[in-house]
Amino acid sequence: MKKILALVLVLSFALSLCGCGAVNTTPKEKITQERAIAIALDNAKLAEKDVLNIEADYDADEKRPQWEVTFELWDYEYSYDIDAYSGEVINSEKEKD
């Protein structure tokens, strides 16, 4: 009986490990343009009503598909690269015009 129980435990453990190496090939859903803008503004700690010339362009030609978000406030131009699937801020810049 102990041998059967030990065998069941070993097999259960081995089967659970088989799933660990599985790769999910289904891509996540792409975030919207509006969501990318919201992420960039949140990162800059600014409100949409306070900035000018907001643009967001989707770029699938990069290593990681991304939204390129730009906007202006006073003498500064903000530029953000937002991962199109995770919403992660890949790069951000703030330059004085």
Side-chain angles (χ1 to χ4, degrees):
M1 182 71 167
K2 289 182 180 180
K3 288 183 180 181
I4 293 174
L5 181 58
L7 180 62
V8 168
L9 289 174
V10 169
L11 287 175
S12 296
F13 179 73
L15 288 173
S16 68
L17 288 179
C18 291
C20 291
V23 176
N24 183 2
T25 57
T26 306
K28 296 179 188 177
E29 189 173 316
K30 182 172 71 170
I31 65 171
T32 64
Q33 181 182 43
E34 292 79 15
R35 181 70 184 128
I37 290 170
I39 291 168
L41 289 169
D42 185 58
N43 187 274
K45 297 178 177 40
L46 297 172
E48 187 170 355
K49 66 180 178 59
D50 297 329
V51 300
L52 301 172
N53 303 325
I54 300 174
E55 293 183 19
D57 297 312
Y58 178 69
D59 188 354
D61 294 334
E62 296 292 331
K63 184 176 181 180
R64 295 165 67 175
Q66 57 191 260
W67 285 101
E68 296 173 350
V69 181
T70 59
F71 50 88
E72 298 173 5
L73 178 65
W74 301 104
D75 293 338
Y76 291 94
E77 181 176 356
Y78 294 77
S79 177
Y80 283 85
D81 296 330
I82 310 291
D83 184 286
Y85 291 93
S86 70
E88 174 190 352
V89 176
I90 299 168
N91 186 43
S92 65
E93 296 178 6
K94 177 181 174 183
E95 295 180 355
K96 188 167 176 104
D97 283 341

